[in-house]
Amino acid sequence: MHVHRRWLGVLAGALIALACPAAGGAESDPLPVPTGAAREQAVVAYNDGVKLMLEKRYAAAQGRFEEALARFEAIAEAHNNLAFSLRMQGAHNADRALKHYERALELKPDLAQAYMYRGVLLTQMGDLRRASADHARLLKLDRNLAAKLEAVIVSRVVREGNE
């Protein structure tokens, strides 16, 4: 299969944008810290993790997200960002990252960023069927994120076609 170089450049740009945690938007936003609530220390740890993740200090961010979840397990955004931080540290974390994306979606089924990043992970793992299902769900939740995931899936298909 012959692919025009311009399209490969467009797809490469989309992949670079997905590598940046801020590309998805809200999943990287700090949460408001509840005062006097049981979740307070968990949210403080989560917010520290977001800062570290945005600085691309993924191992340190992982630690803060794990601390947040140890204090209060039901923070979907912490599971999503922990999964992202794990994924950014290498393919050896794929199974663990997948479990955290899935937990994030159990807790918050409309967390569009988790569908997008799980779809990227599934694409990296070669599971295009499930990645496409995440894309279909994203079309209903966030068309911009759906377009980014579609670019990743298409890039994988093109790469495999050129091998």
Side-chain angles (χ1 to χ4, degrees), residues 27-94:
E27 80 283 4
S28 300
D29 292 342
L31 296 174
V33 178
T35 54
R39 288 181 40 160
E40 181 176 358
Q41 291 303 312
V43 172
V44 168
Y46 168 82
N47 288 343
D48 289 346
V50 168
K51 182 176 184 275
L52 293 164
M53 186 179 69
L54 292 173
E55 294 170 354
K56 298 183 181 181
R57 296 174 53 200
Y58 300 116
Q62 172 189 339
R64 295 303 281 160
F65 294 135
E66 288 171 339
E67 179 183 338
L69 292 170
R71 293 177 182 276
F72 192 85
E73 189 276 336
I75 303 173
E77 295 83 359
H79 283 284
N80 182 53
N81 286 332
L82 173 56
F84 182 90
S85 295
L86 288 165
R87 183 171 64 86
M88 295 307 290
Q89 292 177 73
H92 63 281
N93 290 319

